[in-house]
Every structure is written in structure tokens, then in C-alpha cells.
Amino acid sequence: MIILLAIAIGALFGGATYLVLRRSVVKLILGLILLSHGVNLLIFTMGDGVRRGAPPLIDASGQPPAGVADPLVQALILTAIVISFGFTAFVLALAYRSNQAAGSDDLDDLSTTDRL
Amino acid sequence: MLYPLVLIALAAAPFALVARFAGRDRIAWGLALIPLAIFGLTLAQAGSVWEGGQVVERIAWVPALGLDLSFTLDGLSLLFALIITGIGTLIVGYAGHYLATDNGLGRFLAYMMLFMGAMLGLVLAGNVLTMFVFWELTSVTSYLLIGYKHDYADARRGALHSLLVTAGGGLALLVGLLLLGQAAGSYELSDILAAGDVLRAHALYPAAVVLILLGCFTKSAQIPFHFWLPGAMQAPTPASAFLHSATMVKAGVYLMARLSPALGGTALWDVTLAVVGGATMTFAAIVAMRQFDLKAMLAYTTISMLGALTMQIGLGGKYGAEGVATNILAHALYKSALFMLAGVIDHECGTRDLRRLGGLRAYMPRTMVITALALLSFGGIPVMFGFVAKELMLEAALETELGAMLSTLAVAAIAVTAGAYLITGWRLFSNTFLGQRSVAAMQQHITDPTPGMLIGPGVPAVLSLIIPLAFLGPISSLIGPASAAIYGKPLEVKLALWHGVNTALLVSLGAIAAGAVLARFGEQLANLRGWPAWMRGDMIFDRLIERTLTGATTLTRTIQEGRLRRYILLTALALLVFVGVPFVGFGISSIRFDLDPQLQFYEILAAALIPVGVIATINARTRLGAIIAVSVVGAMVALLFVLFSAPDLSLTQLLIEVLSTVFLLLVFSVLPVRFENFSAAWVRRRDAIIATAMGFLMGGLVLATATNDAFAPLAPFFLENSLEKGKGANVVNVILVDFRGFDTLGEITVLFIALLGIYGLLRLRQGKDNVAPERVTTTEPAAEPVDTKR
Amino acid sequence: MHRNELPPPNRLPSRSTPRDSALYDSLILRTVSRLMMPLLLLLSIYMLLRGHNLPGGGFIGGLLAASAIILQMVAFGPKTARRILPVNYLLLAAFGVFFGAIWGLPAMVAGLPYMQAFWLPEPIPGVGKLGTPVLFDIGVYLTVIGVTTKIALLLVEEPILFPLPAMKPSPVETEDGV
Amino acid sequence: MVFHLFIPIITPMIGGALAVLFNQQRLVARAIALISVLINLGYGLWLMSVVPATGPLVAQASGWFAPFGISLVVDGMSALMVMLAALLMLTTIIYSFYSIDEQREDHFYYPLLLLLLLGVSGAFLTGDLFNLYVWFEVLLVASFGLITLGGSRDQLEGGLKYVVLNLLGSTAFLAGCGLVYGFAGTLNMAHIAERMATLANPGLQTVLAGILLFAFGSKAAIVPLFFWLPSSYHTPPVAVTAIFSGLMTKVGVYALYRTFGLLFQNELATYGPWILLLAGLTMVIGVLGAVAQMNVRRILSFHIISQIGYSVMGLGLASAAGLAAGLVFTAHVMIVKMALFFIGGAAEQIYGTGDLKKMGGLARREPLLALFWFLGILSLAGIPPLSGFIGKLILLQVGVSQQAYLITAVAAGTSILTFFSMLKIWNEVFWKKSYDDVNRLPRVPFGLLAPGAALVILSVALGLLAGPLVDYNAIAGQQAFDRNVYITAVCGADGCEAVYRAALK
């Protein structure tokens, strides 16, 4: 399973890298979104093994089922998802506003603050 | 009783600001009582020094760094301290007259007092780091004084040059002193001086010597760092007289003299000093002859004398030590007098250009007499103190242990220099006081200045005559301990006007004769054309600054070039280097492939749709297509979560996916509907290669790490304790609100702050300039005024 | 007190009148959202409360509620969102953070570390065990609702975003360097 | 276990929330901000007074013991940083009272400042890697809000670069965090350090350290990861630039110190020379950037980068003495750099521009401003007896004593360029004759002068009374470099692994 996830993670990171190198602000944002997916999946695979059908819920017996999935990474990812949601929303608003201020969605037009 | 001296001088600085509100010259003479008092207090401690003792004091400052304020009064410090405070007294008083009409007098005097304190601290320091502290302070105060008339570009330039050169040298010095301390095991001067043999044999010795000498040479204006000193003549004349002739520039000489018992005695030290010093001496003496500006002339002769002092330290021996001490005193006396006189002439005539002066003997007789006295000493004419000093210099050259060749060269150099001094002195005197009164000077009524203004130059000039005639005994007891400190061994010094007819005297007389002959051709020599620009240090330094600026600009434009994707590209490359290189080198062998035989079809499908979705996103031609492709990826991630036992994650991911898509749709509606290919094919290829490398790196990292079972994870603890201690069966939620509730607290804060940020972004729009409206300067700046009187 | 003089804010003229009409005027959407609304809100509270024992919790509950409100907003316009919950969502978010943070304080008063859990000895009928972690989760819930809804509101009220401005043509792609 | 160790985190958090709730009443919001910061400052001072003697103080969030719960750990380094963060925020808030327009105040300027302080304090206090990530995000998003607040074109442009590049760094940190958990099975920093010390898989550990070096390096703005800083720092109001200069990159430096002083100390042998190389490059490239600029704040911004090189040099020297030296320098530069931003900013504010060519004549018009500026640049250039000299001296001394001659030479050489670029401002803004009638300019109000002046005076005091500062940081450096001290404080004398085994039977 891990190899499967590793391929997906590699694809996400690779695709994200490609997208953030584009000149379009839209693609930049999409790249950032893919990047956060990639990291979330990466953390997911870092758990105590990747398990099928064993969510970290304690049943009536009061004991966790055998071979249960790692709950810690899940909690971490949940935190990470929510944080990256906040960031995505912020970047969206920022992209919208800078697009408005610069009158262009070409990122190469946004280079006045470095002009010497 | 030592550090109070330094403190008094430093504390006087704020007091000096009072001069702004009261009668100028009286305030200045009142303030001059402070250096006078320090002079007296220092002299009061001279007794113990003359008996061969030392006064040592120490205040802890930063003991952990070996940086303590430790002070020592020995013969050499005493000599310097007396010069600093003695001349300082006169100059502070003189400044009150000189700057009587200047509103900044208080500020000027404050700088002077600060400088005086720093200089006192420098020579009294018993620890090389303490010494360095004051060393830098003298550079800074000197900067402020040179730039005192900062409305003029020349003043700013001179100040900048002097500070950059001396502070740059100071850095070399600091590192050199640290190396020295490292080698000697202590920063205390006494320890360093006692460790001479160890030091000379130490591996760090050459580096330390080179760095320390860099510091000393820059401070004392040795070739090729001499150029800042003429530039420093932009300072008001009292400052020039004090800093750039009598005291600060001698700091380098002081340090070399101070360290020569420990560091001297090697070819590296001795020959370097002798050669550099000799070259500086001769070169500057010749250049001095050609100047027309009184202060420039004096500045070059000062450089020359600094070279002479350096050379004598290098020549070494008993006479070298004696010569250094005597010349320091003699030079301080006549040169400070000459500078102050130049100031007097400038002050009265409104110019100090030799070509515009002349015939002043009828109008300024007192000034002329004092000038003549000082110049006689400067020229090394017998019975003046300068003569005694020059004799010792010649003795040092004759008696040196550096070999016949250097000895001969030194003697010849001294003879040439002495001759050049005579010419310079004669030119100065004749062009100012003799001949016809020039047109320029005729326009105003010229007289001697008020007597108060003549006290300053008068006292040292007269001393130059009286000392050799009447006080050679007492002065010997001042020079003796100083020479001993330079020599490193006890030394019996008895200065004398008449040593009998010896080689030194003959050379000396020869120089006088040669100079007298040369003086007749002085004008012709002076008319020789100036040095070409590429040979002039200040021009070279200007160009160096210019080059640094343009180089830095080019570099910065290249690096910080403005486009975000370039920054991202470099960042991605940096990641590939920072992580990829160690991974390929060390980590790649940890990769294990776990081929799971039970892999389900839908698992493969979900995972496979992710790369497909990614590629679809990249290749999307329309905005909507891209958003859909990204949503598919998100949905597949959620699917993977639910397949692999993470229902909470899956739910959250799905909800977030929906909300993000809504936001994307809302915002992207202003952006173009269709994408084009934004970049050239090769750029896309390059980016694709980087992206692929990144993908492989991250995938490889996951494989290497996830399959590694080096350590047991924390997870079982949470599973075991969730229900009982966390009162919840959903372990993920218990972790979120209890076990690691602190994370969640931060997380909701992130969300909340993001909202605040978005609110500000969308609701607050200000104009281009947030600070204040741009002020438009339409008129070209007026040319800066030219300073005629400084 | 000194204030530097600032240029007048470069506000957009349409700023003062935030739009209040549906983004997508669709009968189906309106009907569906009207029907779904109470269900989704109830579900969100259910998700919040059961979260300690089954999948769910403050995040999921909050996101659900926010989705419901946003759906309503898309169908009926921003004003509706205010009708559903007559609060300032930004302040709701602030209150959520405040509410979440203060339930850690009782422990400190007792000389225990921040956020150490306190539980009521007996479960409350219909809610389950009540303790500070559950209250904290409510803070999470409120924050998520406030933040998410407010962001959507802010975007929807942008006069430039809606109605859609005339599209300018996408720049012709030329590569002018690397 | 010190239950009140949470105060520096809770105070700004609750303060921030309350300030938003009461944002309508400006004075209340201001008062909340001021009070919160004062509480943090007082607590930070108290921490500094006890930690050298007691060793690291520890608290466990939610009461769950280490390594399972989240630890808060305060050692000498953390205490210093917490105190400085509060102190610098205090000056910023006061400066803001006099310089920030009402519109920004209405748009939650003070809450954002408080929440920035929250993130910074949290990052300094936490002893848990993932928790560190969370606080990093808090401070990051708060900084996003602050840098774009106002919405001028420059701010948006610079802000976009700032945001995107910082997000990339954060993502790398999060990935690193996950990978560390995947490898070490734990998130508690003491536990990680303990497990890493066993060198179970040295190759992989080197790679993990590389990721964190990248992530924190990009926060600290070392070469080649600094681009976001000069792009954006000159665009927001002066107060924002100032507090960013004081805090943002320094959190990155702190995290680097923790990474290589505690978590991956073994890797310091491998990375030390490379870190020194990066430090040297950072110093030089940063200062050359400063030399090239012709705008007050842009010059100062590039200086931040250059000075980060010095801080990182302390780490690259790979010893307790090196860390101590780096800390002394970092503390100094946080104070002085902010002071310069305040003073330069005040000049910019009254002049209406930060362009050197358009300014001039302030030495006469504003002698006090000139005095403090001059003292400030002397301190920055390392002229005795100011704090900068102590910072430079201690770094050079350690460099010499560890035979790291090359970096020592670079560090010394860089400071002359530092001086040069600062003198450029002095020459142009203060000494040069103004082309305009300076007397027409408004006078600098007391409130704009006081914060910078206070910090300069502090720099002078830290120079004159450097003994305690150096002694304190010697202890702090030792604590930060001795893993056992940290592990014992968090998990007890037997270490975290023992606790871990006992807890899982």
C-alpha cells in the first residue's frame, strides 16, 4: 500500500512544483492546493502502518480493535487540513486583490517592489 | 586614579553643549580647565612611574570574554597622556576663538571632549581589547569632527574615507588582537608583553602581525592608506591640529611602539615597519613640498612624520626607542602649533592658499614670530627641539641591527626628508609672511588675532625652543620611561643638545645645507604637475566605493530580480540540494518496497486517479476544467482516507473540498476563463524536470521513512487511554480536544487569524503610498555651496 | 495624539451597497437549500455532539453548518445568511476562540496545567459526558462556523466579483525570459 | 511541572480574541493589547531570572505527560526569546499608537499584533515538533494579515511573494514533521532527540535534518531562501516592518538552534561546515544587497539577511560557546534593528518618502533623531562600547578559538560593508543638505521617537553592562546544546524512552 501512496504523493508534489512555477496566478493557487494534499497524504503514510477497515474507534468492548490505524497522524492531518484551508482562503483573497491592483493575472507583472 | 581621568573627559562632553548658550571663547577656556585638570592629575602620578613603577587598575566589564576595563600608567602612556591633555587644553581654548561665530561650537567641543576621553582611554588601556574599544571611539569621533561641516560634499567625503579606512583597519586589528590573545592566552598587555618569545614562535604570529599592522598603518596613515589624512583636513582646524597631527593618528604608532617588545625582533615586524615607514616618510615629505593649501601641506608633513616614527620603531635599538619617544613629543609641539597658526591665518585672511597669501609680516608680526619658532623646530634647525629629535632619528638609522643596506637607505631617506622639510618650511614661511601683500588679502583689514587665540599655538612653539635650552633634564625623565617601554628593557636616557661631532650631526648638517640649496629651487619643484588620478589614493578609493556600489547593484538585480517564479525555482532547487543530495548520498539505501499482495482494485484506482487528476490540472485549458481536476484529486484523497481507516479525515476533507471549490469558483470568476501556455517550451521542459525530480524525491522519502521500523510510535498510548482517561471512544477526536487539544487551540486560532487577514484584504484598500502622499520635487537640486573657509 | 496624515481611502464607489441577491438564481437550488437547511444544521449539531465517540466533532460539525449557510447564501443572497444566524460571524469566530481558550483556565486556577480536562461525574442525557474538552470542541465548532461563513460572505459581497466583470482577454503567452 | 508556563501563550490568545470582540472601542482594543504585552514581558523577565539557576522549566498541556502530551519547555534560550518578543512588541504597540491610521485599527491591527506575538511566544515555548508547526502557522498567518493590511499595490505584490514563499517553507516543515514522526515515532522534541542520539539510521537522519534545515532556513531567510524578505518588508507601515524585523526571521534562527542543538545534534558534524558556508554567503549577499539599495527601509531589510548570517554562524560553529555567541548577537540585533527601523521609519514618515535621494538635512532639524540613529548604526556596525560590539566580539572570539578563520574573516569583513551602507543613510538623510526647506517638515512627535530611542538606550546599556548578558547566554548556550539537560527536564532522569516503555507496559 505504501508504494501506492508513495506514487500518489510523488505525483502530487511533482505536479504542485510544476504548477507553482507557472506564470498564472490561478495555477499557482492550484499548485498550493495540490501541495497541501501531498503533505497530508505524506503524513498519513507516516502513521503506524496504513490499515484497511480499522478506524481508530473503540468499540463496546472498551478495547481498540486489533490492527487499528494510527489515530495520531489522523489528528495531525485534520489539523493540517484545516490550517491549509485557512491559508488557501487567504491566498485566494490575496490573489484576487493583487490581480485587481496590478490589473493582470500574469505573475511576472508583479515585480515592482523589487525594482532597484 | 586612572579611569576617572577617562571618565571626566567623556563626561565633559555633554557639558560642552552649554557653549551653545553662552559667550563662546570664555566657555571654551572654561572647558579647557578640564583637560588641564586631567593633565595635572596625570602629572601627579608621574612620580611613581619615573621611579620605574606602574599604576594599574581594572574594572570588570565582561569577564567571560576577557574584556575588562584595565588601565595601566607606564612611561609611554604617561608621555601620551600628557601630550593629549596638554595640547588638548590649548586647543579647546583656541577652538573657542576659532569658532566664535559658529553656532555649532558646543557640539564641536563635545566631540572634542569625547575624542579626548577616547584617546586617553586608548593610551591608558592595559588590555588590548580595552584599547580597541577606545581605538574605535577615536575613529568615530574623528568622523564626526571631519564631517562637522556636513553641508559640504567634501567634508562628507573626507569623513567617510577616514572612517572606512580606519574602521576597516580596526576590524583587521580586532581580529589580529584576538589572534594575539589566543596565542598569548590573555588579552592583558602585561601578559602579552611577557609572552614575547612564545608569541614570536607561535603559528598565529605572522597572521596576527599582519592584521595588527594593517590596523596601525591605516590609523597612522602609512602608505598606501595615507590618503584619508589629507581628506580629513576638511575638519575645522582645531580638530585637525588635535586629532590629525598630535594625537589620533599617533594611535597606530602608539600601538606599534607598545607591542614592539613582544612582537618586534623578527624580520617580518622590523623590516616591514622600517620599509613602510621609510617610504611613507620620504614620499609624503616630497608631496608636501608641492602643496599650496597650508593645511594640506601640514597634513603631508604629518604623514611623513608618522612614517618616520614607524620607521624608527622598525629600526629598533636603544636609539630607535628614544627617537620615537622624543619625536612624538617634538612633533606634537610644533605640528599642533603650526596647525593652529594655519587656522589663525585662515581665520584672519579668509584663505589658506599660499598663492593668495603673502606679505603678512607687516600685519601679523606676533603670528609670524610664533610661526617661525614652530617652523624652525619642524625643520630640525639646531637648538630647537626638533633638532634633538632628528639627531636621535639619525642615530637610530645608523645604529640599527637590520643590516648595512637598510641602515644606509634609512639615513639617505632621512636626509632627503629633512631637506624636503626645509623647503616646505621655507615655502610656507616666505609665501605667507614675506614678499608683497597679495591682492586677495588686501581686501580686508588684517591684524594679529586676539591674544587669546595666540596662546594655543604660542605655548607649544615656545616650548619647542625652551625645552632643549632649559628643560632637557626634566624632559629626559619623561622620555626615559617612555623609551624603556618601547625598548622593552630599562633604559637610561639623557637627552642632549650637543653630542659632539658625530656622523648624525654631519648628516644633519648636510641635510640642512642640501635643503638650503634646494629651497632656492623650491618654486620649480612645487610647480611640477600633480600626481595622476590613478596614483592618488583618494581617487582610487572613490573608485573602489563606486565599483562596490555598481557590483552590489548588479548582483542584487540578478539575485533579487523580482519575479516570483524565479524565486520559487531557486527555492525548489535549494530543496533538491538540501534534501536531495543527502537523500541520494545517505538515505536512498533505506528504501524498501513493500509489495502488498492484497491490494484492492478500488485502492489502486483511487491512488491512480491522483496522478491523472494532477496531470489534468496541469494540462487544463479552462479555469473550470482545472478546478474540476483539482476537486477530483481532493475527492480521491478523501477516498483514500476512508479506504484506509480514517473516517474523520475523509469527512473533513470532503467538506473542505466542497467549500474550497466554492471559494475557488467565487474568486476565479474575475480571472480569465481560458489558460494559454504561459511559457516557452524549454522553460516548461526545465520545470518539468525539476518537478519530476521533486516528485521522485518526495516519493522516495516516503518509501524510505514509512518502511523504516526503527522506533515504536506513540499511537498505542492514545488507543489504550482514550476511553478510560479521555472519556471518548473516537480516539482521533479525543486527541484533538484533549491529548493534543493545545494543537487544536492553535489551529482554530490560525483559522480565525486567516479570517482577520481576509477581512482586512477585502475591506481595506489604501492608495499606493501608505505613509503620506508622495512629495514631488520638481526643481533640480541646487549645486552644493563651495566651502571657502574651513 | 499625533496621527500622520493619510490620503483618503481609495474606496470603490460601489462599496457602500453590498449586493443582496442570489448568485445563481435557480428554483431548484432554492427549493433544495430551503429543505436541506434545517436538516444540515441539525446534522451539524449531531456531528458535534457525537464526535467524542464516533466520527465527527467540532470541525466536521462546524464545516457542515457553514456549508448549509453558504448554500443558502448562494441561493438567496447574503442577507439570508444573516437571517439564519443573526450574528456578526467575525465576532462569532472571535467568540469561538475565546470560548475554546477559557475552558483550559479552570485547571490553572487549580494549579494544574492549562487545558487539563474536568468531567462532570454523570453523563447528561442526550448529550453524553460533559467535560471541558467537549466545551472546547464547541468553541472549535463556533470558530469554524464563524470563519468559514464570514469568508464566504466577504467574497460574495465583493462588488467586483459579482456581477461578473467583463472578461479581459487572457494575455498572449510570450516568453520574455526565464 | 510549572502550571503557569502557559501564560505567555494564553495571554495574547485571549487578549487577541477580546481585542477583536471590543474592536469598536479603539481605546479598549489598545488597552487590551498593551496589557497583554506587559503581562508577557513581566512573565518573560521572571523566566529569565529563574531559568539559569533552575534549569529548563516544563509544563504539559492538558496534563498529559511527556512524551505523549505536548510539552512546554523553557530554557535560557526560550526565556530570552519570550522576553525579547514581548519587549519588542511593546515598543511596536507604542509606536503604532502614534503612527497607525484609524482604518487599520478598525481592521484589527492590534489583534493581529497580539496574535503574532501569540505565535512567536508559542514557537519559543513549545517542546513538541508538531505544536511548533502550529505556532509557526499562527505567527505566519498573522504576519500575512499584517503585511497586506492596507491593500496598496506594493503591499499586495510584496505580500503575495511573502505569502507564497513562506507557505512553501511551511509545507516543507510540515512534511519534515511528518517524516520525523514516521521515522522516530514521536513528536516530543526531547524524545526525538533521545531517539536520534541512538543513531538507528544515520543516513535517514541526515536527510531529515536536511529538510528541517531547509524549512527553518527559509524562515530565517538564509541564502538562498531569503527572497521573500526584501520583496515585501518595505511595503507595510513602519511599525509592521519593525516588528517583523525583530521577530520573524529570529524565530527561524531559534528553530535552527533547536534543530541542531537538540534534535539532530549528531548531524551538526555533517552540516556544520555547510551551515558556516551558508552563513558566510548570507552575510555577504545580504550586505551587498543593502549597499545597493537607495531606500531606508530596503537597506535595513537587506541588513536583516546579512545579520541572520551572523546568528547562523553561531550555530555553524557547533559548540555551546558558538550557540551562546549566536544568542548574544541575535538578542542584540533584534533590539538594534528594530530601533533603526523605528528611527528610519520616523524620518520616512515625516519626509513622506524613504528615498535617500529625496531626503536630507535631518541632523539639524531633528538632532535627537540623528543622535539615536547614529548610536544605532554604531551599534549595528559593532562599534564599542555598544551591544553590537559585544555581539561581534564574542562571535569572532569563538570563531578564532575554534580555528574557523575563514568565517571569522568574512564576519569581520562584512561589518565594514554594514557600516558603509549605514553611513550612506546617515550621509544622505541626516548630513546632506536638504534640497527642500526642512523647516517646513513636521517635527517628529515624541511617540515616534521614543520607542526607537528606548531601544537604542537599551543597546547602549547592554553594551556597557554586557557582563550579565554574556553570562546569561553562556548558560543558555550550554542548556541549548546539552541534550541531557533538556531530556531530563522533560522526561526525568531516565529519559523519555523509559517513560514510554513504562506507559505501554
Side-chain angles (χ1 to χ4, degrees), chain A residues 1 3 10 14 17-18 22-24 26 37 51-54 56 58 68 70 74 82 97 100 108 111 114 116, chain B residues 553 562 565 567 593 596 603 644-645 653 668 671 678-679 684 687 691 694-695 715 719 729 731 747 761 765:
Chain A
M1 281 174 283
I3 180 107
T17 309
Y18 186 80
R22 302 300 92 209
R23 277 163 68 177
S24 157
V26 177
H37 288 326
R51 309 288 159 83
R52 292 191 185 88
I58 294 163
V68 71
D70 187 331
Q74 296 193 12
V82 176
R97 286 282 292 118
Q100 201 178 59
D108 283 8
S111 54
D114 280 325
L116 206 72
Chain B
T553 310
R565 66 196 168 104
Y567 299 158
F593 294 98
D596 183 355
E603 291 168 6
F644 296 124
S645 320
Q653 172 76 38
F668 283 0
L671 299 170
F678 271 84
S679 315
R684 276 179 276 143
D687 293 348
M694 188 70 75
L719 292 166
V731 186
E747 174 196 353
L761 261 178
R765 294 143 201 252

Side-chain angles (χ1 to χ4, degrees), chain B residues 217-489:
Chain B
F217 286 176
T218 49
K219 193 85 165 177
S220 283
Q222 301 295 298
I223 284 177
F225 308 112
H226 61 283
F227 61 88
W228 70 264
L229 187 53
M233 292 304 135
Q234 299 293 334
T237 301
S240 305
F242 194 34
L243 275 70
H244 305 125
S245 69
T247 51
M248 185 188 92
V249 287
K250 295 225 178 80
V253 172
Y254 167 79
L255 183 59
M256 288 188 276
R258 177 55 90 194
L259 291 177
S260 72
L263 298 181
T266 63
L268 175 65
W269 177 273
D270 289 349
V271 175
T272 310
L273 259 61
V275 170
V276 173
T280 308
M281 173 181 79
T282 325
F283 164 80
I286 291 170
V287 175
M289 294 193 309
R290 315 182 147 171
Q291 302 301 316
F292 290 104
D293 182 331
L294 276 180
K295 277 180 79 176
M297 192 175 238
L298 294 175
Y300 278 107
T301 58
T302 303
I303 296 174
S304 172
M305 183 46 75
L306 292 169
L309 293 169
T310 307
M311 180 185 76
Q312 289 173 81
I313 299 169
L315 293 174
K318 174 179 180 301
Y319 288 109
E322 257 182 67
V324 172
T326 315
N327 272 294
I328 285 172
L329 181 58
H331 177 251
L333 290 174
Y334 70 69
K335 193 53 70 62
S336 62
L338 284 174
F339 264 110
M340 284 189 263
L341 288 163
V344 166
I345 293 167
D346 192 8
H347 193 257
E348 298 304 320
C349 303
T351 179
R352 45 171 209 259
D353 189 330
L354 286 182
R355 287 164 299 196
R356 305 177 71 207
L357 292 166
L360 292 178
R361 68 179 180 285
Y363 308 95
M364 302 175 77
R366 284 180 235 163
T367 311
M368 182 180 77
V369 171
I370 299 171
T371 311
L373 273 180
L375 280 176
L376 286 174
S377 185
F378 162 67
I381 307 296
V383 312
M384 299 304 288
F385 197 33
F387 171 72
V388 179
K390 192 180 63 187
E391 293 297 286
L392 283 168
M393 201 194 303
L394 276 167
E395 288 288 352
L398 290 166
E399 304 282 325
T400 180
E401 291 166 9
L402 295 185
M405 194 184 76
L406 274 177
S407 172
T408 317
L409 273 175
V411 171
I414 294 170
V416 170
T417 305
Y421 278 12
L422 286 173
I423 297 170
T424 310
W426 176 249
R427 274 196 67 214
L428 198 163
F429 189 78
S430 61
N431 282 321
T432 313
F433 294 103
L434 307 181
Q436 291 299 307
R437 189 176 165 183
S438 80
V439 185
M442 239 181 286
Q443 287 160 3
Q444 48 187 304
H445 179 68
I446 291 170
T447 58
D448 269 326
T450 54
M453 199 167 178
L454 281 179
I455 296 177
V459 172
V462 170
L463 278 177
S464 297
L465 175 66
I466 296 181
I467 284 177
L469 292 181
F471 296 113
L472 271 186
I475 286 298
S476 295
S477 54
L478 179 64
I479 298 290
S483 314
I486 301 170
Y487 193 47
K489 288 184 267 259

Side-chain angles (χ1 to χ4, degrees), chain B residues 13-37:
Chain B
F15 178 71
L17 290 171
V18 177
R20 212 169 150 180
F21 308 108
R24 309 285 159 101
D25 46 352
R26 272 189 221 123
I27 282 289
W29 281 111
L31 193 69
L33 292 177
I34 292 172
L36 189 65

Side-chain angles (χ1 to χ4, degrees), chain B residues 541-626:
Chain B
F541 197 66
D542 272 342
R543 200 175 309 165
L544 185 69
I545 293 177
E546 198 63 32
R547 286 274 161 83
T548 312
L549 279 171
T550 51
T553 310
T554 313
L555 181 80
T556 308
R557 278 211 184 107
T558 316
I559 293 176
Q560 193 74 22
E561 56 96 80
R563 281 175 298 171
L564 176 59
R565 66 196 168 104
R566 168 71 167 274
Y567 299 158
I568 297 178
L569 181 73
L570 289 173
T571 308
L573 286 175
L575 180 74
L576 288 176
V577 173
F578 280 40
V579 183
V581 171
F583 183 64
V584 172
F586 308 111
I588 213 160
S589 55
S590 302
I591 291 186
R592 296 198 208 341
F593 294 98
D594 72 325
L595 292 174
D596 183 355
Q598 296 173 327
L599 222 49
Q600 304 290 318
F601 164 71
Y602 45 86
E603 291 168 6
I604 298 174
L605 185 69
L609 271 177
I610 289 179
V612 172
V614 168
I615 291 168
T617 314
I618 290 171
N619 289 327
R621 281 277 162 271
T622 63
R623 199 178 63 211
L624 198 63

Side-chain angles (χ1 to χ4, degrees), chain A:
Chain A
M1 281 174 283
I2 288 174
I3 180 107
L4 207 60
L5 289 167
I7 293 168
I9 292 165
L12 284 167
F13 272 98
T17 309
Y18 186 80
L19 281 170
V20 294
L21 288 168
R22 302 300 92 209
R23 277 163 68 177
S24 157
V25 75
V26 177
K27 294 202 171 180
L28 174 74
I29 293 171
L30 297 178
L32 291 175
I33 292 175
L34 289 188
L35 204 55
S36 71
H37 288 326
V39 180
N40 291 342
L41 271 188
L42 182 144
I43 302 176
F44 193 60
T45 54
M46 292 298 137
D48 184 13
V50 179
R51 309 288 159 83
R52 292 191 185 88
L57 298 168
I58 294 163
D59 53 23
S61 68
Q63 284 301 313
V68 71
D70 187 331
L72 184 54
V73 288
Q74 296 193 12
L76 301 186
I77 296 168
L78 226 152
T79 305
I81 290 178
V82 176
I83 287 179
S84 64
F85 171 64
F87 277 119
T88 305
F90 185 87
V91 174
L92 271 172
L94 179 57
Y96 158 66
R97 286 282 292 118
S98 58
N99 176 60
Q100 201 178 59
S104 159
D105 74 324
D106 186 349
L107 285 171
D108 283 8
D109 290 346
L110 301 176
S111 54
T112 54
T113 59
D114 280 325
R115 212 161 279 158
L116 206 72

Side-chain angles (χ1 to χ4, degrees), chain B residues 2 214 279 342 467 482 507 681 753 783:
Chain B
L2 287 176
L214 262 178
I467 284 177
V507 176
I753 304 169

